[in-house]
Amino acid sequence: MMKKNMLKAIIAGSMAMGSLVATGCASAAEVLTDCSLRDVPFSSSMPAYDVVMRPKARAIVEKHYPGVLAKIPAWILSESMPSFSTLITLDQLLARVGVEDDANAAAMRKELAALPVTREDKIARCARFDSEPVEFDLGEEPVQVLIYQKINGYDHGESVTAATENLSKLAKEMGYGVSVSAKGSAFTPENLSEFDVVIWNNVSGDTLTLSQRKAFEDYMNNGGGFLGIHASAGDSVYFWDWYRDVLIGAQFIGHPGDDNWFQDASLDVTRHGTGVAEGIPDRWELNDEWYSFSDSVSSKGYDIVMAIDETTYVPGKELEMGEDHPLVWTHCIGEGRAMYSAIGHRKEVYNAEYNIKLLKNGMKWTAGQGNDTCKQ
């Protein structure tokens, strides 16, 4: 494991860069953070929230599609965070209610693009991101874990709470120190240098500003650890390519719904030098919500720890991935260690024997306490 003082030295340059970005934004307004979509023109490919919550932009949508927004459930278009409308683009939202991509849609997009992006619009877009400083009072434990659980999109509620409680308990049993934060502003070079692994607990929606993203990317490349759980890779659209394409490695496309939402299924285990699968049988059964992805991360060379047997549940035709349907995988990013597990919608799974072993082993490996295969 990279010593914390070495990590601090390596990320010193990142600290300077973050300060420059923050200074530039502060001159505009204290609440105007460097959120990723702050300055982009209005469009139907940005989060629906950032269009329909702005009166001028919403008026354009309603002009071309009278009454259509009224058909959308209030929980999807919630104005307060978390809001599902941060997880889907306006195009995706309209497609859900049967709007076709035709000349009318093209005219709407043209009008949206012509709207000026005012300072007020920028502040509104950045309002769901955090800028206030976050400090941690760490103990003397040799390994420190940060559980990050900010949610702007879909809130898994009791499952988030169950995950935090059980992960904290496991970490403490392992002699690790645990801190919990729901603030993206916790992601500074200084803070991250204190932690051996950051667990993303069902994080949903875009939650980090550009400088916070850079701090985390630098942290990972320079020897940090990432353990992503369930919804942390469950958004239908991402506005951070590195997170989707490198850290996670795949785009979520859906899960069974209605009567097939939660199903028993068999999981097949593959063992690697990481030791993440230690103590788990080669095949085991669990009841949960089962994710599908656009592609298998096996094509990128990521190590598949668990794959789901599609013959043991009903994914639905559009969600079939075939024989190569990973649910848990690990890989290296620079000197950093990354692991993702799609298990975790139901709160009960955080007490499941083999999932507990998986999370415990995963914490150990991503924190650099096991066989650090990323430094061989």
Side-chain angles (χ1 to χ4, degrees):
M1 179 187 69
M2 178 177 288
K3 300 297 184 183
K4 292 185 178 67
N5 58 346
M6 294 175 62
L7 185 56
K8 289 179 181 178
I10 290 174
I11 64 178
S14 174
M15 291 170 60
M17 177 64 71
S19 298
L20 287 173
V21 174
T23 301
C25 294
S27 63
E30 290 184 5
V31 293
L32 190 61
T33 65
D34 58 327
C35 65
S36 63
L37 300 178
R38 185 188 68 188
D39 303 317
V40 303
F42 281 99
S43 78
S44 59
S45 60
M46 66 192 309
Y49 182 90
D50 293 320
V51 180
V52 300
M53 297 305 168
R54 304 306 300 149
K56 297 174 299 181
R58 186 186 185 104
I60 290 174
V61 177
E62 292 180 331
K63 168 188 169 182
H64 288 274
Y65 299 103
V68 71
L69 296 179
K71 298 177 182 178
I72 298 171
W75 67 270
I76 291 182
L77 290 183
S78 172
E79 186 171 357
S80 60
M81 293 296 114
S83 175
F84 193 83
S85 61
T86 66
L87 295 182
I88 54 177
T89 66
L90 178 61
D91 283 333
Q92 291 172 327
L93 182 71
L94 294 176
R96 280 176 171 240
V97 291
V99 170
E100 297 183 1
D101 189 358
D102 54 16
N104 193 32
M108 178 194 69
R109 294 189 188 108
K110 185 176 181 179
E111 284 195 52
L112 285 173
L115 275 180
V117 180
T118 66
R119 179 173 174 275
E120 183 181 4
D121 293 327
K122 295 176 183 181
I123 291 173
R125 291 176 181 183
C126 293
R128 61 185 179 271
F129 298 87
D130 304 308
S131 59
E132 64 275 17
V134 175
E135 296 182 357
F136 296 98
D137 184 15
L138 303 183
E140 297 299 319
E141 298 89 351
V143 177
Q144 295 294 332
V145 177
L146 172 60
I147 300 176
Y148 177 56
Q149 53 190 44
K150 183 174 177 66
I151 298 167
N152 279 336
Y154 183 83
D155 188 356
H156 279 68
E158 292 182 346
S159 296
V160 178
T161 302
T164 296
E165 291 176 349
N166 283 277
L167 287 165
S168 297
K169 178 182 177 183
L170 289 176
K172 290 175 182 177
E173 289 174 354
M174 298 164 72
Y176 297 176
V178 182
S179 300
V180 181
S181 179
K183 296 288 186 182
S185 48
F187 282 65
T188 66
E190 303 97 317
N191 282 342
L192 291 174
S193 68
E194 300 291 343
F195 293 99
D196 299 278
V197 58
V198 181
I199 300 176
W200 286 52
N201 175 17
N202 284 287
V203 175
S204 179
D206 204 4
T207 64
L208 299 185
T209 67
L210 295 178
S211 53
Q212 292 159 9
R213 290 178 182 183
K214 179 153 192 326
F216 188 57
E217 290 182 28
D218 287 347
Y219 164 79
M220 288 302 302
N221 284 321
N222 293 315
F226 166 82
L227 174 54
I229 295 176
H230 191 59
S232 298
D235 292 356
S236 59
V237 64
Y238 284 93
F239 299 93
W240 184 7
D241 292 348
W242 178 87
Y243 184 89
R244 178 195 60 218
D245 299 336
V246 178
L247 186 65
I248 298 297
Q251 173 62 58
F252 165 81
I253 59 172
H255 58 73
D258 300 324
D259 293 339
N260 291 324
W261 199 311
F262 303 113
Q263 301 180 60
D264 291 333
S266 295
L267 309 180
D268 293 317
V269 175
T270 303
R271 305 182 191 284
H272 302 281
T274 61
V276 169
E278 183 178 347
I280 303 172
D282 292 343
R283 189 175 176 93
W284 62 295
E285 188 175 274
L286 187 67
N287 183 281
D288 201 15
E289 171 192 77
W290 303 117
Y291 278 5
S292 291
F293 300 90
S294 57
D295 298 288
S296 170
V297 293
S298 62
S299 64
K300 296 185 174 182
Y302 295 5
D303 288 329
I304 310 304
V305 179
M306 292 184 189
I308 192 167
D309 182 347
E310 288 189 353
T311 68
T312 63
Y313 81 111
V314 182
K317 191 66 176 176
E318 293 183 352
L319 297 177
E320 291 178 358
M321 294 181 65
E323 295 182 359
D324 188 7
H325 188 154
L327 286 182
V328 183
W329 55 84
T330 61
H331 67 108
C332 304
I333 300 176
E335 294 187 356
R337 303 156 302 277
M339 172 176 161
Y340 170 71
S341 171
I343 298 168
H345 183 97
R346 299 176 64 244
K347 64 179 182 179
E348 291 81 4
V349 304
Y350 296 101
N351 287 309
E353 178 184 1
Y354 296 127
N355 192 41
I356 289 174
K357 288 184 181 292
L358 174 70
L359 294 172
K360 191 171 183 178
N361 294 342
M363 259 195 288
K364 181 178 179 180
W365 181 74
T366 53
Q369 298 301 296
N371 182 15
D372 197 345
T373 54
C374 295
K375 290 190 176 182
Q376 294 182 349

